[in-house]
Amino acid sequence: MPVPLLDLKAQYLELKPELDAAIGTVMENAAFVGGPKVAELEASIAKYCGVEHAVACGNGTDALFLIMAALGVGPGDEVVTTPFTFFATVEAIVHTGAMPVFVDIEPGTYNMDVSMLEAVVTERTKVIMPVHIFGQCVDMDPLLELAEARGAYVVEDACQAIGATYKGRPAGSLGHASAFSFFPSKNLGCAGDGGVVTTNDGDLAAKVRKLASHGTSKKYFHDTFGVNSRLDALQAAILLVKLPHLDRWNSERRAAAAVYDELLADVASLELPVSREFGEAVYHLYIVKAASAEEAERVMSALKEAGIGTALYYPLALHEQEALEELEGFVAPSLPVAESCDARTFALPCFPGITTKQQEEVARTVRGVLA
Ligand SMILES: *Cc1c(COP(=O)(O)O)cnc(C)c1O
């Protein structure tokens, strides 16, 4: 029985009549960039995340960049983040001219180890950027307290965590501003690229909006140099159809994760994801860690042979990436927990609608190699 890592076509078929109608309406209205659908989406996302402002943009990477640009982050500044995330996080930092500074991660959650922040925050730290990796929130309260004491902004990379909560508060409402991605594979995905910035700071929201649209707030008059990063009306229309289903999809992901937790509990050499009691995770990915890269390779080969989708997340920590060598003044730190994940942490299929039979097949295949 083949099991994909993610089934985007099934999600389309589930909502086909509504999606097709929404797309048709945009085509007929012929307002393609920005416009009322995008404004409606922004209002819906702000409400969903419990914040006052949402500003749509071209993708999650731009959302991160635009927030930092609006905060005035630039050369001479440092941005503290995690090495265990998608490359976009550090790319957005580097494009502001700031220097990325990495702290190690916790085993099990793979999130930034907040207890290590104190040691790397300096007077140059302008932003602390937690990434809610795989859909579970970073332990935000101690992070926020430290940031406040040291005068740093907190920018959440919530690209994998829409719908997750921390002590009852939604991801995207915890720091000064947050970035979400609507890339198709994210928990709330559109049919292409898309992103949004959320914040309670009205001035910041206005700056992000201006920067995302060529530095203009009045057409053909430019107060500053911006970029072109806007959301298409088609994507907004698609997201508006999907948003009301997000909480149900996220609980299906949580339920599927609980099934794996049980099916794989006694596989001694496999580390299952740890879920912290302070919030609800949304399992953007269900990540397991093998005892060695070689063992991960053997399990992944068996899965692929059985037609089961899997992939390494992430094969190489960011501070070890070749691109970082281009950065003048960057000295790669030693981050043993993050490095211990290289080529060892991989995803098992965990998407809304996955059946118990499919999960049993996945577990059987994994156990066939390790148990
Ligand atoms: C997907 C992702 C991004 C980038 O989002 P795009 O929309 O692809 O630009 C940034 N950070 C994390 C953690 C992500 O998962």
Side-chain angles (χ1 to χ4, degrees):
M1 177 186 1
V3 188
L5 189 53
L6 177 68
D7 196 346
L8 288 177
K9 186 159 178 202
Q11 201 186 53
Y12 169 55
L13 295 177
E14 179 191 338
L15 301 174
K16 187 174 188 319
E18 297 98 304
L19 286 169
D20 289 354
I23 291 165
T25 305
V26 173
M27 296 309 289
E28 274 163 28
N29 291 344
F32 294 119
V33 180
K37 275 290 159 194
V38 172
E40 193 185 333
L41 177 74
E42 289 175 339
S44 303
I45 292 290
K47 183 158 181 264
Y48 183 82
C49 292
V51 296
E52 280 174 45
H53 308 278
V55 182
C57 63
N59 54 69
T61 314
D62 283 358
L64 289 168
F65 173 79
L66 288 164
I67 294 167
M68 288 186 282
L71 290 172
V73 175
D77 294 329
E78 293 176 352
V79 178
V80 176
T81 192
T82 167
F84 199 67
T85 171
F86 179 52
F87 189 66
T89 310
V90 70
E91 213 170 19
I93 295 167
V94 167
H95 285 316
T96 66
M99 181 64 79
V101 174
F102 297 105
V103 280
D104 210 351
I105 59 170
E106 310 167 327
T109 68
Y110 307 105
N111 264 329
M112 168 187 275
D113 185 338
V114 174
S115 72
M116 294 191 168
L117 281 173
E118 184 83 57
V120 298
V121 168
T122 71
E123 68 284 357
R124 285 188 299 278
T125 305
K126 185 117 179 194
V127 169
I128 300 175
M129 184 177 286
V131 180
H132 307 311
I133 204 71
F134 308 137
Q136 174 162 232
C137 286
V138 169
D139 190 4
M140 290 298 285
D141 278 347
L143 183 153
L144 288 164
E145 198 176 304
L146 179 77
E148 166 105 57
R150 306 296 285 270
Y153 294 107
V154 175
V155 176
E156 292 170 75
D157 180 340
C159 288
Q160 300 188 1
I162 193 161
T165 58
Y166 175 76
K167 300 184 180 172
R169 286 126 67 196
S173 73
L174 303 164
H176 294 91
S178 309
F180 289 101
S181 165
F182 300 126
F183 186 76
S185 65
K186 301 291 156 94
N187 289 33
L188 178 65
C190 61
D193 279 309
V196 71
V197 169
T198 57
T199 182
N200 283 314
D201 180 339
D203 288 340
L204 184 63
K207 273 189 195 154
V208 166
R209 193 177 291 287
K210 188 193 284 187
L211 287 171
S213 191
H214 304 294
T216 176
S217 34
K218 185 171 157 211
K219 206 166 188 184
Y220 302 124
F221 292 86
H222 304 268
D223 330 333
T224 184
F225 292 96
V227 296
N228 177 10
S229 182
R230 296 170 300 207
L231 189 69
D232 296 337
L234 275 172
Q235 305 304 351
I238 288 167
L239 291 163
L240 280 164
V241 171
K242 289 185 170 191
L243 182 58
H245 301 274
L246 177 61
D247 284 344
R248 175 173 51 86
W249 288 334
N250 280 342
S251 39
E252 286 177 27
R253 286 174 185 270
R254 269 195 295 278
V259 169
Y260 279 134
D261 285 348
E262 204 161 303
L263 289 173
L264 298 169
D266 61 342
V267 184
S269 63
L270 200 65
E271 277 180 54
L272 304 185
V274 169
S275 126
R276 300 284 301 269
E277 69 300 333
F278 52 52
E280 269 199 311
V282 293
Y283 290 92
H284 172 60
L285 292 168
Y286 186 91
I287 296 296
V288 294
K289 185 178 183 186
S292 65
E294 185 272 328
E295 210 159 276
E297 176 55 38
R298 279 200 294 132
V299 178
M300 291 177 70
S301 302
L303 289 167
K304 285 173 193 163
E305 230 161 83
I308 296 167
T310 184
L312 289 169
Y313 292 92
Y314 291 92
L316 187 65
L318 295 191
H319 63 292
E320 304 174 280
Q321 297 280 347
E322 201 177 317
L324 276 289
E325 290 168 23
E326 288 173 23
L327 261 188
E328 214 179 293
F330 177 79
V331 182
S334 157
L335 304 170
V337 183
E339 287 155 26
S340 79
C341 296
D342 289 349
R344 277 174 62 187
T345 46
F346 58 97
L348 300 180
C350 183
F351 53 86
I354 190 170
T355 65
T356 307
K357 274 209 156 51
Q358 286 178 312
Q359 292 194 265
E360 281 165 358
E361 173 84 7
V362 175
R364 204 175 307 124
T365 310
V366 171
R367 302 175 69 96
V369 179
L370 295 181

